[in-house]
Amino acid sequence: QVQLVESGGGLVQPGGSLRLSCTVSETIFRSHIMAWYRRPPGKQRELVAFTTNGGGTGYADSVKGRFTIDIAKNTVYLQMNSLKPEDTAVYYCNLKSGRDDYWGQGTQVTVSS
């Protein structure tokens, strides 16, 4: 069973930055699709950023130009800059391998003054 462990969440003021990490128990291959989702308070989970097996990346319109997803060895990162209060959410790391779908435990990001 693949395990994902997230870290890096916390409290930050608007305009600040955070870097989330997701350590995966297996090597991440091109056949895997990695993604970050988030669930704002009182709302449903939404896709934030993802990688493809073709080497591409994609971002939600709400985070384009501010967030960056990248992978190094068995860790996927989400660099979050110019944070806004609306970015406040529980952030989840996701791995898709074939028909299997794995999730991290979630890490809280709070953006407020």
Side-chain angles (χ1 to χ4, degrees):
Q1 190 78 13
V2 177
Q3 294 181 325
L4 286 68
V5 180
E6 299 164 331
S7 62
L11 174 65
V12 64
Q13 293 185 350
S17 299
L18 284 175
R19 189 193 192 201
L20 305 183
S21 300
C22 173
T23 301
V24 183
S25 62
E26 298 183 353
T27 302
I28 302 173
F29 298 102
R30 286 180 58 91
S31 59
H32 296 150
I33 299 175
M34 303 300 307
W36 286 93
Y37 290 77
R38 68 186 182 187
R39 187 180 68 238
K43 299 181 180 180
Q44 294 187 354
R45 187 172 57 198
E46 62 185 14
L47 178 65
V48 176
F50 64 92
T51 66
T52 70
N53 56 14
T57 60
Y59 301 91
D61 288 340
S62 59
V63 306
K64 285 182 179 178
R66 300 188 298 117
F67 290 13
T68 303
I69 185 173
D70 63 276
I71 299 173
K73 296 186 178 180
N74 66 331
T75 304
V76 57
Y77 301 94
L78 184 67
Q79 179 66 46
M80 306 186 296
N81 300 322
S82 302
L83 285 162
K84 305 175 180 180
E86 65 184 37
D87 295 319
T88 295
V90 179
Y91 284 72
Y92 299 91
C93 182
N94 171 256
L95 181 154
K96 294 185 183 296
S97 177
R99 292 180 292 180
D100 296 323
D101 203 358
Y102 303 94
W103 293 90
Q105 79 287 352
T107 184
Q108 176 70 47
V109 173
T110 302
V111 185
S112 68
S113 300

